[in-house]
Amino acid sequence: MAASRAFKKLSLPEMISDDLRDRILSGDIAEGEAIRQELLAEEYEVSRMPVREALKRLSAEGLISWENNIGGSVVKHSLREIGEIFDLRALIEADLFRRAIPNMTSVDFERCEKILADMEGSYASDDVGQWGQLNHDYHAALYAAADRRLTDDLLARISIHSDRYVRIHLSVMKQRDPARKEHRKLLAYAIEGDVVSAGELLEKHISRTKNELLEMVAAQRSQNGA
């Protein structure tokens, strides 16, 4: 008998939390913005109960600060915390990449190549939303062969916090060619089996993103008096 091909059925709280998460990561709901349970219930045309459950999920992920009967807001990280998020990414991702390279096969390389081609297409169409997802998918594909489930789970939690800042960075970054070239070079090093150069470039890649992003966020907050 063929394996089940049924689609996963999402509960109402899951659907609401998924939509709210995307709105936060895209900047539609800004950092520091107040979260009003009753207004969200009206907006989604549901009772407060599924909204409350959705907010609990996002609170557990660290995207919002929330307490029942008090309310909450979207978490606003300090510049120091943003820097820490990217420092953790550099440490974890470089380790995963170094472990993955000796185990990567032609299947891994082909998957990475396809994502890169799609990413470059998104550059041309200036589709920042798609670019952000493809950027995440590409990095995940580079590390998949490491087969480190616990580390992957830890990175996924950290990536939730970094993703909104990455999207902000992508939306305003004018010089995209350096990032494109670095992505290409990371794959080239992996194909060559050059673990040392691959790890060094990945650390540099994430550090450059961090520094550009911190400068941009600092300027925005200064301009807004935040």
Side-chain angles (χ1 to χ4, degrees):
M1 179 180 286
S4 172
R5 299 177 65 87
F7 291 105
K8 178 184 177 183
K9 295 181 180 179
L10 296 179
S11 67
L12 192 53
E14 285 176 318
M15 289 189 287
I16 294 172
S17 62
D18 285 351
D19 188 62
L20 284 173
R21 185 185 301 106
D22 187 66
R23 291 171 66 185
I24 291 170
L25 295 180
S26 68
D28 180 48
I29 303 178
E31 58 179 8
E33 186 170 335
I35 298 293
R36 299 283 300 277
Q37 179 179 277
E38 63 274 15
L39 293 181
L40 288 173
E42 291 178 9
E43 185 176 354
Y44 287 107
E45 299 182 352
V46 297
S47 70
R48 295 187 185 186
M49 185 174 295
V51 172
R52 186 182 304 119
E53 290 303 312
L55 294 174
K56 287 180 180 178
R57 291 169 184 263
L58 297 180
S59 178
E61 293 175 6
L63 279 178
I64 68 170
S65 174
W66 174 259
E67 291 186 46
N68 286 337
N69 304 318
I70 296 178
S73 61
V74 177
V75 168
K76 180 178 180 179
H77 292 291
S78 67
L79 293 178
R80 185 173 180 176
E81 288 170 335
I82 295 172
E84 183 179 356
I85 289 168
F86 283 86
D87 288 342
L88 286 170
R89 275 193 54 194
L91 286 170
I92 295 172
E93 293 185 40
D95 178 69
L96 282 174
F97 196 24
R98 292 184 180 106
R99 293 175 184 274
I101 289 173
N103 301 325
M104 293 178 78
T105 68
S106 59
V107 174
D108 296 300
F109 299 143
E110 288 170 7
R111 171 164 171 71
C112 290
E113 180 61 47
K114 182 182 185 307
I115 297 173
L116 273 181
D118 291 341
M119 193 184 301
E120 288 171 357
S122 73
Y123 294 162
S125 62
D126 203 32
D127 187 343
V128 175
Q130 184 185 31
W131 187 12
Q133 182 60 52
L134 289 170
N135 180 74
H136 178 275
D137 292 346
Y138 178 64
H139 280 265
L142 287 176
Y143 318 144
D147 194 23
R148 305 274 285 186
R149 183 177 60 81
L150 294 177
T151 309
D152 287 340
D153 289 345
L154 178 59
L155 179 59
R157 183 170 177 83
I158 294 170
S159 295
I160 287 176
H161 295 283
S162 71
D163 190 49
R164 60 172 156 168
Y165 298 110
V166 169
R167 293 195 193 193
I168 293 170
H169 181 244
L170 294 175
S171 68
V172 300
M173 188 169 61
K174 302 301 182 183
Q175 295 183 342
R176 297 174 181 175
D177 201 46
R180 183 187 64 80
K181 289 180 178 178
E182 287 174 359
H183 282 144
R184 280 280 170 196
K185 194 62 178 175
L186 287 171
L187 180 56
Y189 281 142
I191 293 172
E192 294 166 8
D194 190 341
V195 174
V196 174
S197 297
E200 290 176 350
L201 178 58
L202 182 57
E203 289 173 344
K204 175 185 174 183
H205 176 74
I206 296 173
S207 179
R208 180 178 59 80
T209 300
K210 179 190 81 170
N211 293 334
E212 291 178 355
L213 181 62
L214 285 175
E215 183 179 351
M216 182 195 69
V217 173
Q220 287 181 342
R221 290 182 179 179
S222 176
Q223 184 176 16
N224 295 333

